[in-house]
Amino acid sequence: MTDPAVALDHAFDRDTEVEAVSEHRSTLTISDRWNALGDRVNGGYLMAVCLAALRREVPLPDPLVVSAFFLRPAAAGPVEIATELVRPGRRIATGEAQLRQGGKEIVRLVASFTDFAATPDGRRLELGAKPELPPPDACVDPIAGRSPLRRPGIANQVEWRAVEPPGWVLKRPGGDPTLTMWMRWRDGRPTDVASLPLFVDALPPPVLDLGETGSSTVELTVHVRGVPAPGWVAGRSTTRHVGGGYHEEDFEIWDETGGLVAQSRQLAILL
Amino acid sequence: MTDPAVALDHAFDRDTEVEAVSEHRSTLTISDRWNALGDRVNGGYLMAVCLAALRREVPLPDPLVVSAFFLRPAAAGPVEIATELVRPGRRIATGEAQLRQGGKEIVRLVASFTDFAATPDGRRLELGAKPELPPPDACVDPIAGRSPLRRPGIANQVEWRAVEPPGWVLKRPGGDPTLTMWMRWRDGRPTDVASLPLFVDALPPPVLDLGETGSSTVELTVHVRGVPAPGWVAGRSTTRHVGGGYHEEDFEIWDETGGLVAQSRQLAILL
């Protein structure tokens, strides 16, 4: 849930602020500030745009589970998002968004929403392990040496802190496709639930440390598992299975109190 | 891909054989032979029905990545499946299915298909660990002592072999929500690519070993990562994160040669 008082002070809120055209149609101009490596529009940003449009349609505020199929690359410029309320519900409500550009569908996304403020905590069991990272102040900006022009645009929006730069940044791919980094909004925006579907796609793909040059997402599913505590969040991204030209990428986000707040998996094509 | 010669000899093929009503509409009678615990229609069976209807629409044969949102429970009886070709493509083609019963939408599913016979193996890297299981002949049927009436229907279709029965079967939940079992079709049908989206939902939920009485899937995504070799496949299902009334469930399927052939994750509500 975005705090309305701060909403328009931040790039994320400005660049996902859709305009209502009709009950089930919104428009927006895709910004060029959210490019991933290779200057392609970041998939997490496109998901956030779809979710912003869906929030007009769905009677609950917070994304719970989101699945996005990336059908074609997007470019900066105008898009239209058609939305549908698939199933209203008091605890969970589901909708679909179709993001189109130049008449072609770019993303099809289905999402269930809930209200975390009304969710009882219930039984809690954590068998996962939070990322082992020194405090953010004891970490380094892994791309600190790169000029803003040689950084992907998304790195100007999301700040990273790691124990050391990944091997591929130093042109020595380390062979271990796992990245663990602190993350936060560079402009001071709080990391809320709405940030998480973007954050799970806001680190470089760990397959770069296999010497690959990049990958392109076919589908990404994210589960939001809780409301992040104030501060940094720790992202851990890993690939375990490469074959047939595809790889999976698993991403977890843990908050500073050591709670898991999001989990995602994507299937991607090696470039 | 189903071998047409054997197709109608097997329950899976008979019970997913949709009837074409028009170009984008199919019908089928949901069988009561695929019930999960609590006598609810198994979600993997509903996914297989949607995929069978989508294969009429999509020009590629094999599911690659499938995401299904379960909106309402289904019952045995007639359903209608509306299908749409979202994006044709030579390597990947994407479609959507909406399964309705009594005028209400039960499942919304988006799936990308490919042709594994035309997929070059390319670079292969396996950092995961295949399940550690003795050969199937050295394992036991974990529900052998149960009369057919006290088994979930799906266990009459899919055969299980485990080192020992899970604790909950013996009414002593063990506290470790992980299940590892060999699986195959009970009627001798080969385990092909089309079987995998059903198999990832064809073991009891591991949260039963936490003393929970069951869970209900909100969303399930499956990645098909290869064509299974003949024989049994090993399924490993695990839950690591429980909170807010939700849990995730991760499922891997490995074939007898030790290759990962499918990976899924679902978000589910504790009952």
Side-chain angles (χ1 to χ4, degrees), chain A residues 67 84 87 96 108 121 123 125-127 210 212 221 225 240-242 244 246 250 265, chain B residues 67 71 84 96 108 121 123-127 210 212 221 225 240-242 244 246 250 265:
Chain A
S67 165
E84 175 198 357
R87 162 84 158 111
E96 177 173 298
R108 178 156 305 197
D121 194 52
R123 178 177 193 161
L125 177 72
E126 186 49 76
L127 297 172
L210 297 176
E212 298 289 341
T221 301
R225 298 302 302 273
R240 304 283 92 189
H241 318 285
V242 181
Y246 301 99
D250 268 29
R265 180 177 290 156
Chain B
S67 165
L71 307 166
E84 175 198 357
E96 177 173 300
R108 178 156 305 196
D121 194 52
R123 178 177 193 159
R124 179 164 288 279
L125 177 73
E126 186 49 78
L127 297 172
L210 298 176
E212 298 289 341
T221 301
R225 299 301 303 272
R240 303 284 93 188
H241 317 283
V242 181
Y246 300 99
D250 268 28
R265 179 177 290 156

mmCIF file of all heavy atoms in Angstrom, chain A residues 67 84 87 96 108 121 123 125-127 210 212 221 225 240-242 244 246 250 265, chain B residues 67 71 84 96 108 121 123-127 210 212 221 225 240-242 244 246 250 265:
data_model
loop_
_atom_site.group_PDB
_atom_site.id
_atom_site.type_symbol
_atom_site.label_atom_id
_atom_site.label_comp_id
_atom_site.label_asym_id
_atom_site.label_seq_id
_atom_site.Cartn_x
_atom_site.Cartn_y
_atom_site.Cartn_z
ATOM 1 N N SER A 67 1.394 -13.910 -11.601
ATOM 2 C CA SER A 67 2.089 -14.647 -12.655
ATOM 3 C C SER A 67 2.031 -13.830 -13.931
ATOM 4 O O SER A 67 0.952 -13.443 -14.380
ATOM 5 C CB SER A 67 1.422 -16.008 -12.877
ATOM 6 O OG SER A 67 1.863 -16.558 -14.111
ATOM 7 N N GLU A 84 -9.399 -6.934 -16.092
ATOM 8 C CA GLU A 84 -10.629 -7.692 -15.867
ATOM 9 C C GLU A 84 -10.632 -8.166 -14.425
ATOM 10 O O GLU A 84 -9.624 -8.691 -13.934
ATOM 11 C CB GLU A 84 -10.634 -8.913 -16.815
ATOM 12 C CG GLU A 84 -11.800 -9.858 -16.605
ATOM 13 C CD GLU A 84 -11.563 -11.229 -17.229
ATOM 14 O OE1 GLU A 84 -10.505 -11.440 -17.879
ATOM 15 O OE2 GLU A 84 -12.432 -12.107 -17.047
ATOM 16 N N ARG A 87 -12.382 -12.720 -10.331
ATOM 17 C CA ARG A 87 -13.106 -13.322 -9.216
ATOM 18 C C ARG A 87 -12.972 -12.404 -8.014
ATOM 19 O O ARG A 87 -11.883 -12.291 -7.437
ATOM 20 C CB ARG A 87 -12.502 -14.698 -8.913
ATOM 21 C CG ARG A 87 -12.825 -15.291 -7.552
ATOM 22 C CD ARG A 87 -14.150 -16.006 -7.570
ATOM 23 N NE ARG A 87 -14.256 -16.983 -6.510
ATOM 24 C CZ ARG A 87 -15.087 -16.849 -5.441
ATOM 25 N NH1 ARG A 87 -15.832 -15.767 -5.304
ATOM 26 N NH2 ARG A 87 -15.175 -17.811 -4.552
ATOM 27 N N GLU A 96 -7.034 -9.996 -14.104
ATOM 28 C CA GLU A 96 -6.095 -10.208 -15.205
ATOM 29 C C GLU A 96 -5.820 -8.883 -15.890
ATOM 30 O O GLU A 96 -6.722 -8.059 -16.050
ATOM 31 C CB GLU A 96 -6.669 -11.202 -16.217
ATOM 32 C CG GLU A 96 -5.757 -11.401 -17.416
ATOM 33 C CD GLU A 96 -6.230 -12.505 -18.356
ATOM 34 O OE1 GLU A 96 -6.315 -13.668 -17.926
ATOM 35 O OE2 GLU A 96 -6.515 -12.185 -19.526
ATOM 36 N N ARG A 108 0.921 -10.695 -20.441
ATOM 37 C CA ARG A 108 -0.357 -11.145 -19.869
ATOM 38 C C ARG A 108 -0.083 -11.540 -18.418
ATOM 39 O O ARG A 108 0.795 -12.357 -18.156
ATOM 40 C CB ARG A 108 -0.945 -12.320 -20.637
ATOM 41 C CG ARG A 108 -2.255 -12.779 -19.972
ATOM 42 C CD ARG A 108 -3.197 -13.484 -20.867
ATOM 43 N NE ARG A 108 -3.539 -12.743 -22.064
ATOM 44 C CZ ARG A 108 -4.589 -13.027 -22.840
ATOM 45 N NH1 ARG A 108 -5.388 -14.041 -22.539
ATOM 46 N NH2 ARG A 108 -4.817 -12.325 -23.925
ATOM 47 N N ASP A 121 -1.791 -13.487 11.562
ATOM 48 C CA ASP A 121 -0.497 -14.109 11.318
ATOM 49 C C ASP A 121 -0.602 -15.633 11.329
ATOM 50 O O ASP A 121 0.013 -16.314 10.534
ATOM 51 C CB ASP A 121 0.536 -13.645 12.345
ATOM 52 C CG ASP A 121 1.939 -14.016 11.870
ATOM 53 O OD1 ASP A 121 2.271 -13.667 10.725
ATOM 54 O OD2 ASP A 121 2.676 -14.672 12.622
ATOM 55 N N ARG A 123 -0.325 -19.647 12.279
ATOM 56 C CA ARG A 123 0.855 -20.470 12.490
ATOM 57 C C ARG A 123 2.011 -19.961 11.654
ATOM 58 O O ARG A 123 1.827 -19.597 10.494
ATOM 59 C CB ARG A 123 0.508 -21.899 12.049
ATOM 60 C CG ARG A 123 1.679 -22.842 12.185
ATOM 61 C CD ARG A 123 1.247 -24.251 11.812
ATOM 62 N NE ARG A 123 2.257 -25.186 12.221
ATOM 63 C CZ ARG A 123 2.044 -26.480 12.373
ATOM 64 N NH1 ARG A 123 0.847 -26.979 12.147
ATOM 65 N NH2 ARG A 123 3.013 -27.266 12.755
ATOM 66 N N LEU A 125 6.008 -20.918 10.484
ATOM 67 C CA LEU A 125 7.101 -21.879 10.492
ATOM 68 C C LEU A 125 8.069 -21.453 9.409
ATOM 69 O O LEU A 125 7.678 -21.258 8.261
ATOM 70 C CB LEU A 125 6.565 -23.289 10.187
ATOM 71 C CG LEU A 125 7.626 -24.385 10.105
ATOM 72 C CD1 LEU A 125 8.185 -24.712 11.480
ATOM 73 C CD2 LEU A 125 7.040 -25.646 9.452
ATOM 74 N N GLU A 126 9.317 -21.268 9.762
ATOM 75 C CA GLU A 126 10.323 -20.838 8.798
ATOM 76 C C GLU A 126 11.445 -21.867 8.755
ATOM 77 O O GLU A 126 12.235 -21.950 9.686
ATOM 78 C CB GLU A 126 10.863 -19.454 9.190
ATOM 79 C CG GLU A 126 11.815 -18.860 8.172
ATOM 80 C CD GLU A 126 11.240 -18.923 6.764
ATOM 81 O OE1 GLU A 126 10.354 -18.109 6.440
ATOM 82 O OE2 GLU A 126 11.675 -19.820 6.004
ATOM 83 N N LEU A 127 11.471 -22.661 7.698
ATOM 84 C CA LEU A 127 12.525 -23.663 7.531
ATOM 85 C C LEU A 127 13.583 -23.203 6.527
ATOM 86 O O LEU A 127 14.553 -23.906 6.283
ATOM 87 C CB LEU A 127 11.917 -24.998 7.082
ATOM 88 C CG LEU A 127 10.954 -25.624 8.095
ATOM 89 C CD1 LEU A 127 10.251 -26.843 7.502
ATOM 90 C CD2 LEU A 127 11.700 -26.018 9.371
ATOM 91 N N LEU A 210 27.909 -17.393 -15.031
ATOM 92 C CA LEU A 210 28.307 -18.571 -15.810
ATOM 93 C C LEU A 210 28.948 -18.144 -17.135
ATOM 94 O O LEU A 210 29.222 -18.978 -17.995
ATOM 95 C CB LEU A 210 27.085 -19.445 -16.110
ATOM 96 C CG LEU A 210 26.373 -20.049 -14.900
ATOM 97 C CD1 LEU A 210 25.128 -20.800 -15.359
ATOM 98 C CD2 LEU A 210 27.312 -20.986 -14.138
ATOM 99 N N GLU A 212 27.333 -16.306 -19.266
ATOM 100 C CA GLU A 212 26.257 -16.004 -20.213
ATOM 101 C C GLU A 212 26.134 -14.483 -20.347
ATOM 102 O O GLU A 212 26.532 -13.726 -19.451
ATOM 103 C CB GLU A 212 24.937 -16.613 -19.733
ATOM 104 C CG GLU A 212 24.946 -18.136 -19.628
ATOM 105 C CD GLU A 212 24.968 -18.822 -20.997
ATOM 106 O OE1 GLU A 212 24.615 -18.166 -21.998
ATOM 107 O OE2 GLU A 212 25.350 -20.007 -21.063
ATOM 108 N N THR A 221 6.600 -15.863 -11.651
ATOM 109 C CA THR A 221 5.576 -15.901 -10.597
ATOM 110 C C THR A 221 6.183 -15.378 -9.312
ATOM 111 O O THR A 221 7.295 -15.767 -8.949
ATOM 112 C CB THR A 221 5.074 -17.340 -10.352
ATOM 113 O OG1 THR A 221 4.534 -17.861 -11.567
ATOM 114 C CG2 THR A 221 3.973 -17.367 -9.292
ATOM 115 N N ARG A 225 4.781 -12.657 0.740
ATOM 116 C CA ARG A 225 4.541 -13.439 1.950
ATOM 117 C C ARG A 225 4.453 -12.584 3.209
ATOM 118 O O ARG A 225 4.234 -13.097 4.301
ATOM 119 C CB ARG A 225 5.627 -14.523 2.098
ATOM 120 C CG ARG A 225 5.662 -15.547 0.952
ATOM 121 C CD ARG A 225 4.325 -16.283 0.769
ATOM 122 N NE ARG A 225 3.913 -16.968 1.969
ATOM 123 C CZ ARG A 225 4.289 -18.217 2.293
ATOM 124 N NH1 ARG A 225 5.060 -18.890 1.476
ATOM 125 N NH2 ARG A 225 3.858 -18.775 3.400
ATOM 126 N N ARG A 240 19.695 -22.999 -10.532
ATOM 127 C CA ARG A 240 20.206 -24.345 -10.251
ATOM 128 C C ARG A 240 20.168 -25.271 -11.466
ATOM 129 O O ARG A 240 20.852 -26.292 -11.492
ATOM 130 C CB ARG A 240 19.384 -25.020 -9.113
ATOM 131 C CG ARG A 240 19.286 -24.271 -7.789
ATOM 132 C CD ARG A 240 20.553 -24.391 -6.976
ATOM 133 N NE ARG A 240 21.451 -23.295 -7.255
ATOM 134 C CZ ARG A 240 22.711 -23.217 -6.819
ATOM 135 N NH1 ARG A 240 23.221 -24.170 -6.075
ATOM 136 N NH2 ARG A 240 23.471 -22.190 -7.133
ATOM 137 N N HIS A 241 19.326 -24.961 -12.438
ATOM 138 C CA HIS A 241 19.063 -25.903 -13.535
ATOM 139 C C HIS A 241 19.119 -25.167 -14.870
ATOM 140 O O HIS A 241 18.292 -24.302 -15.138
ATOM 141 C CB HIS A 241 17.683 -26.538 -13.385
ATOM 142 C CG HIS A 241 17.321 -26.954 -11.984
ATOM 143 N ND1 HIS A 241 17.848 -28.077 -11.383
ATOM 144 C CD2 HIS A 241 16.513 -26.386 -11.061
ATOM 145 C CE1 HIS A 241 17.347 -28.181 -10.149
ATOM 146 N NE2 HIS A 241 16.538 -27.173 -9.938
ATOM 147 N N VAL A 242 20.110 -25.519 -15.692
ATOM 148 C CA VAL A 242 20.243 -24.938 -17.033
ATOM 149 C C VAL A 242 20.179 -26.082 -18.042
ATOM 150 O O VAL A 242 20.874 -27.082 -17.880
ATOM 151 C CB VAL A 242 21.592 -24.186 -17.184
ATOM 152 C CG1 VAL A 242 21.720 -23.563 -18.576
ATOM 153 C CG2 VAL A 242 21.745 -23.114 -16.099
ATOM 154 N N GLY A 244 18.524 -27.106 -22.391
ATOM 155 C CA GLY A 244 17.586 -26.862 -23.485
ATOM 156 C C GLY A 244 17.465 -25.392 -23.844
ATOM 157 O O GLY A 244 16.491 -24.988 -24.488
ATOM 158 N N TYR A 246 17.095 -23.069 -21.631
ATOM 159 C CA TYR A 246 16.307 -22.419 -20.585
ATOM 160 C C TYR A 246 17.029 -22.490 -19.237
ATOM 161 O O TYR A 246 17.872 -23.349 -19.019
ATOM 162 C CB TYR A 246 14.937 -23.107 -20.430
ATOM 163 C CG TYR A 246 14.110 -23.097 -21.686
ATOM 164 C CD1 TYR A 246 14.055 -24.210 -22.521
ATOM 165 C CD2 TYR A 246 13.376 -21.971 -22.043
ATOM 166 C CE1 TYR A 246 13.294 -24.197 -23.687
ATOM 167 C CE2 TYR A 246 12.613 -21.941 -23.205
ATOM 168 C CZ TYR A 246 12.578 -23.063 -24.018
ATOM 169 O OH TYR A 246 11.835 -23.043 -25.170
ATOM 170 N N ASP A 250 15.374 -18.496 -9.100
ATOM 171 C CA ASP A 250 14.623 -18.383 -7.850
ATOM 172 C C ASP A 250 15.094 -17.154 -7.100
ATOM 173 O O ASP A 250 16.308 -16.904 -7.005
ATOM 174 C CB ASP A 250 14.872 -19.615 -6.971
ATOM 175 C CG ASP A 250 13.842 -20.704 -7.223
ATOM 176 O OD1 ASP A 250 13.322 -20.781 -8.350
ATOM 177 O OD2 ASP A 250 13.566 -21.475 -6.293
ATOM 178 N N ARG A 265 9.880 -17.218 -8.774
ATOM 179 C CA ARG A 265 10.620 -18.098 -9.687
ATOM 180 C C ARG A 265 10.273 -17.687 -11.101
ATOM 181 O O ARG A 265 9.119 -17.375 -11.395
ATOM 182 C CB ARG A 265 10.251 -19.562 -9.466
ATOM 183 C CG ARG A 265 11.029 -20.504 -10.412
ATOM 184 C CD ARG A 265 10.717 -21.958 -10.143
ATOM 185 N NE ARG A 265 11.261 -22.396 -8.875
ATOM 186 C CZ ARG A 265 10.782 -23.439 -8.172
ATOM 187 N NH1 ARG A 265 9.737 -24.119 -8.622
ATOM 188 N NH2 ARG A 265 11.334 -23.775 -7.028
ATOM 189 N N SER B 67 0.757 -21.679 -15.599
ATOM 190 C CA SER B 67 0.338 -21.070 -14.340
ATOM 191 C C SER B 67 -1.178 -21.155 -14.239
ATOM 192 O O SER B 67 -1.892 -20.703 -15.136
ATOM 193 C CB SER B 67 0.787 -19.607 -14.287
ATOM 194 O OG SER B 67 0.102 -18.926 -13.240
ATOM 195 N N LEU B 71 -9.873 -20.720 -8.632
ATOM 196 C CA LEU B 71 -10.780 -19.668 -8.168
ATOM 197 C C LEU B 71 -11.890 -20.208 -7.281
ATOM 198 O O LEU B 71 -12.340 -19.539 -6.356
ATOM 199 C CB LEU B 71 -11.378 -18.956 -9.385
ATOM 200 C CG LEU B 71 -10.324 -18.433 -10.387
ATOM 201 C CD1 LEU B 71 -10.982 -18.066 -11.708
ATOM 202 C CD2 LEU B 71 -9.585 -17.241 -9.804
ATOM 203 N N GLU B 84 -7.996 -19.472 -25.790
ATOM 204 C CA GLU B 84 -7.554 -18.342 -26.612
ATOM 205 C C GLU B 84 -6.088 -18.548 -26.949
ATOM 206 O O GLU B 84 -5.287 -18.872 -26.072
ATOM 207 C CB GLU B 84 -7.721 -17.050 -25.783
ATOM 208 C CG GLU B 84 -7.193 -15.799 -26.474
ATOM 209 C CD GLU B 84 -6.969 -14.640 -25.498
ATOM 210 O OE1 GLU B 84 -7.283 -14.785 -24.293
ATOM 211 O OE2 GLU B 84 -6.447 -13.605 -25.949
ATOM 212 N N GLU B 96 -4.429 -19.199 -23.325
ATOM 213 C CA GLU B 96 -5.133 -19.099 -22.048
ATOM 214 C C GLU B 96 -6.372 -19.972 -22.082
ATOM 215 O O GLU B 96 -7.047 -20.073 -23.104
ATOM 216 C CB GLU B 96 -5.533 -17.642 -21.777
ATOM 217 C CG GLU B 96 -6.336 -17.493 -20.488
ATOM 218 C CD GLU B 96 -6.602 -16.042 -20.099
ATOM 219 O OE1 GLU B 96 -5.628 -15.303 -19.890
ATOM 220 O OE2 GLU B 96 -7.784 -15.677 -20.002
ATOM 221 N N ARG B 108 -8.430 -20.344 -14.003
ATOM 222 C CA ARG B 108 -7.861 -19.571 -15.100
ATOM 223 C C ARG B 108 -6.406 -19.973 -15.250
ATOM 224 O O ARG B 108 -5.640 -19.915 -14.284
ATOM 225 C CB ARG B 108 -7.968 -18.069 -14.858
ATOM 226 C CG ARG B 108 -7.303 -17.292 -16.007
ATOM 227 C CD ARG B 108 -7.815 -15.916 -16.187
ATOM 228 N NE ARG B 108 -9.246 -15.849 -16.356
ATOM 229 C CZ ARG B 108 -9.882 -14.771 -16.845
ATOM 230 N NH1 ARG B 108 -9.196 -13.710 -17.223
ATOM 231 N NH2 ARG B 108 -11.201 -14.760 -16.951
ATOM 232 N N ASP B 121 19.645 -29.470 -26.952
ATOM 233 C CA ASP B 121 19.927 -29.579 -25.522
ATOM 234 C C ASP B 121 20.717 -28.374 -25.024
ATOM 235 O O ASP B 121 20.470 -27.856 -23.958
ATOM 236 C CB ASP B 121 20.663 -30.885 -25.223
ATOM 237 C CG ASP B 121 20.640 -31.157 -23.722
ATOM 238 O OD1 ASP B 121 19.528 -31.117 -23.152
ATOM 239 O OD2 ASP B 121 21.704 -31.365 -23.126
ATOM 240 N N ARG B 123 23.666 -25.901 -23.578
ATOM 241 C CA ARG B 123 24.425 -25.986 -22.334
ATOM 242 C C ARG B 123 23.578 -26.648 -21.254
ATOM 243 O O ARG B 123 22.389 -26.357 -21.126
ATOM 244 C CB ARG B 123 24.753 -24.559 -21.906
ATOM 245 C CG ARG B 123 25.501 -24.500 -20.599
ATOM 246 C CD ARG B 123 25.859 -23.066 -20.268
ATOM 247 N NE ARG B 123 26.821 -23.057 -19.196
ATOM 248 C CZ ARG B 123 27.631 -22.037 -18.947
ATOM 249 N NH1 ARG B 123 27.600 -20.965 -19.709
ATOM 250 N NH2 ARG B 123 28.491 -22.094 -17.947
ATOM 251 N N ARG B 124 24.180 -27.526 -20.473
ATOM 252 C CA ARG B 124 23.458 -28.189 -19.395
ATOM 253 C C ARG B 124 24.259 -28.039 -18.109
ATOM 254 O O ARG B 124 25.453 -28.316 -18.076
ATOM 255 C CB ARG B 124 23.241 -29.664 -19.745
ATOM 256 C CG ARG B 124 22.511 -30.472 -18.687
ATOM 257 C CD ARG B 124 21.978 -31.790 -19.228
ATOM 258 N NE ARG B 124 20.843 -31.580 -20.105
ATOM 259 C CZ ARG B 124 19.581 -31.380 -19.677
ATOM 260 N NH1 ARG B 124 19.324 -31.397 -18.388
ATOM 261 N NH2 ARG B 124 18.616 -31.191 -20.524
ATOM 262 N N LEU B 125 23.584 -27.576 -17.088
ATOM 263 C CA LEU B 125 24.233 -27.420 -15.787
ATOM 264 C C LEU B 125 23.218 -27.823 -14.742
ATOM 265 O O LEU B 125 22.091 -27.326 -14.744
ATOM 266 C CB LEU B 125 24.648 -25.953 -15.580
ATOM 267 C CG LEU B 125 25.289 -25.659 -14.214
ATOM 268 C CD1 LEU B 125 26.698 -26.230 -14.148
ATOM 269 C CD2 LEU B 125 25.323 -24.144 -13.970
ATOM 270 N N GLU B 126 23.573 -28.750 -13.897
ATOM 271 C CA GLU B 126 22.649 -29.231 -12.861
ATOM 272 C C GLU B 126 23.292 -29.026 -11.502
ATOM 273 O O GLU B 126 24.219 -29.735 -11.131
ATOM 274 C CB GLU B 126 22.320 -30.710 -13.109
ATOM 275 C CG GLU B 126 21.260 -31.270 -12.182
ATOM 276 C CD GLU B 126 20.032 -30.354 -12.120
ATOM 277 O OE1 GLU B 126 19.234 -30.391 -13.066
ATOM 278 O OE2 GLU B 126 19.925 -29.604 -11.136
ATOM 279 N N LEU B 127 22.817 -28.032 -10.775
ATOM 280 C CA LEU B 127 23.343 -27.759 -9.436
ATOM 281 C C LEU B 127 22.393 -28.263 -8.362
ATOM 282 O O LEU B 127 22.672 -28.144 -7.169
ATOM 283 C CB LEU B 127 23.594 -26.256 -9.265
ATOM 284 C CG LEU B 127 24.661 -25.687 -10.206
ATOM 285 C CD1 LEU B 127 24.725 -24.167 -10.108
ATOM 286 C CD2 LEU B 127 26.034 -26.286 -9.890
ATOM 287 N N LEU B 210 2.920 -31.649 9.337
ATOM 288 C CA LEU B 210 2.921 -30.664 10.424
ATOM 289 C C LEU B 210 1.662 -30.799 11.273
ATOM 290 O O LEU B 210 1.408 -29.972 12.156
ATOM 291 C CB LEU B 210 2.988 -29.242 9.852
ATOM 292 C CG LEU B 210 4.239 -28.887 9.039
ATOM 293 C CD1 LEU B 210 4.115 -27.487 8.455
ATOM 294 C CD2 LEU B 210 5.489 -29.000 9.913
ATOM 295 N N GLU B 212 -1.295 -30.485 9.986
ATOM 296 C CA GLU B 212 -2.384 -29.775 9.307
ATOM 297 C C GLU B 212 -3.308 -30.806 8.642
ATOM 298 O O GLU B 212 -2.909 -31.925 8.342
ATOM 299 C CB GLU B 212 -1.813 -28.811 8.251
ATOM 300 C CG GLU B 212 -0.921 -27.723 8.827
ATOM 301 C CD GLU B 212 -1.714 -26.667 9.616
ATOM 302 O OE1 GLU B 212 -2.942 -26.572 9.414
ATOM 303 O OE2 GLU B 212 -1.092 -25.957 10.429
ATOM 304 N N THR B 221 2.364 -22.928 -10.429
ATOM 305 C CA THR B 221 3.143 -22.778 -11.663
ATOM 306 C C THR B 221 4.028 -23.999 -11.835
ATOM 307 O O THR B 221 4.677 -24.433 -10.877
ATOM 308 C CB THR B 221 4.051 -21.531 -11.615
ATOM 309 O OG1 THR B 221 3.237 -20.376 -11.416
ATOM 310 C CG2 THR B 221 4.827 -21.353 -12.908
ATOM 311 N N ARG B 225 10.901 -29.262 -17.787
ATOM 312 C CA ARG B 225 12.301 -29.032 -18.135
ATOM 313 C C ARG B 225 12.900 -30.132 -19.000
ATOM 314 O O ARG B 225 14.066 -30.062 -19.382
ATOM 315 C CB ARG B 225 13.131 -28.841 -16.850
ATOM 316 C CG ARG B 225 12.690 -27.648 -15.995
ATOM 317 C CD ARG B 225 12.770 -26.325 -16.763
ATOM 318 N NE ARG B 225 14.096 -26.080 -17.275
ATOM 319 C CZ ARG B 225 15.064 -25.460 -16.595
ATOM 320 N NH1 ARG B 225 14.839 -25.033 -15.374
ATOM 321 N NH2 ARG B 225 16.237 -25.264 -17.139
ATOM 322 N N ARG B 240 8.647 -24.879 2.995
ATOM 323 C CA ARG B 240 9.658 -24.244 3.850
ATOM 324 C C ARG B 240 9.118 -23.049 4.631
ATOM 325 O O ARG B 240 9.746 -22.636 5.610
ATOM 326 C CB ARG B 240 10.860 -23.752 2.992
ATOM 327 C CG ARG B 240 11.575 -24.793 2.132
ATOM 328 C CD ARG B 240 12.469 -25.694 2.949
ATOM 329 N NE ARG B 240 11.759 -26.887 3.359
ATOM 330 C CZ ARG B 240 12.234 -27.794 4.219
ATOM 331 N NH1 ARG B 240 13.429 -27.651 4.758
ATOM 332 N NH2 ARG B 240 11.515 -28.848 4.553
ATOM 333 N N HIS B 241 8.014 -22.472 4.135
ATOM 334 C CA HIS B 241 7.571 -21.190 4.697
ATOM 335 C C HIS B 241 6.069 -21.239 4.960
ATOM 336 O O HIS B 241 5.283 -21.362 4.016
ATOM 337 C CB HIS B 241 7.863 -20.040 3.734
ATOM 338 C CG HIS B 241 9.225 -20.093 3.085
ATOM 339 N ND1 HIS B 241 10.376 -19.742 3.754
ATOM 340 C CD2 HIS B 241 9.625 -20.463 1.843
ATOM 341 C CE1 HIS B 241 11.418 -19.894 2.936
ATOM 342 N NE2 HIS B 241 10.976 -20.322 1.768
ATOM 343 N N VAL B 242 5.674 -21.168 6.222
ATOM 344 C CA VAL B 242 4.263 -21.152 6.604
ATOM 345 C C VAL B 242 4.012 -19.857 7.372
ATOM 346 O O VAL B 242 4.757 -19.528 8.303
ATOM 347 C CB VAL B 242 3.919 -22.364 7.497
ATOM 348 C CG1 VAL B 242 2.435 -22.344 7.872
ATOM 349 C CG2 VAL B 242 4.281 -23.679 6.804
ATOM 350 N N GLY B 244 0.694 -16.490 7.987
ATOM 351 C CA GLY B 244 -0.472 -15.745 7.511
ATOM 352 C C GLY B 244 -1.571 -16.647 6.966
ATOM 353 O O GLY B 244 -2.433 -16.192 6.221
ATOM 354 N N TYR B 246 -0.965 -19.079 4.914
ATOM 355 C CA TYR B 246 -0.522 -19.569 3.610
ATOM 356 C C TYR B 246 0.728 -20.431 3.750
ATOM 357 O O TYR B 246 1.467 -20.321 4.723
ATOM 358 C CB TYR B 246 -0.186 -18.392 2.679
ATOM 359 C CG TYR B 246 -1.361 -17.474 2.431
ATOM 360 C CD1 TYR B 246 -1.500 -16.282 3.141
ATOM 361 C CD2 TYR B 246 -2.321 -17.798 1.485
ATOM 362 C CE1 TYR B 246 -2.585 -15.437 2.911
ATOM 363 C CE2 TYR B 246 -3.410 -16.958 1.259
ATOM 364 C CZ TYR B 246 -3.527 -15.790 1.978
ATOM 365 O OH TYR B 246 -4.598 -14.962 1.764
ATOM 366 N N ASP B 250 6.962 -26.574 -2.947
ATOM 367 C CA ASP B 250 7.862 -26.752 -4.090
ATOM 368 C C ASP B 250 7.904 -28.221 -4.452
ATOM 369 O O ASP B 250 8.002 -29.089 -3.570
ATOM 370 C CB ASP B 250 9.284 -26.310 -3.718
ATOM 371 C CG ASP B 250 9.523 -24.852 -4.061
ATOM 372 O OD1 ASP B 250 8.542 -24.087 -4.067
ATOM 373 O OD2 ASP B 250 10.679 -24.486 -4.316
ATOM 374 N N ARG B 265 5.884 -24.750 -8.196
ATOM 375 C CA ARG B 265 5.686 -24.124 -6.895
ATOM 376 C C ARG B 265 4.229 -23.690 -6.830
ATOM 377 O O ARG B 265 3.680 -23.198 -7.803
ATOM 378 C CB ARG B 265 6.602 -22.920 -6.712
ATOM 379 C CG ARG B 265 6.390 -22.233 -5.351
ATOM 380 C CD ARG B 265 7.346 -21.080 -5.141
ATOM 381 N NE ARG B 265 8.710 -21.558 -4.956
ATOM 382 C CZ ARG B 265 9.782 -20.812 -5.212
ATOM 383 N NH1 ARG B 265 9.649 -19.586 -5.674
ATOM 384 N NH2 ARG B 265 10.993 -21.305 -5.006
#
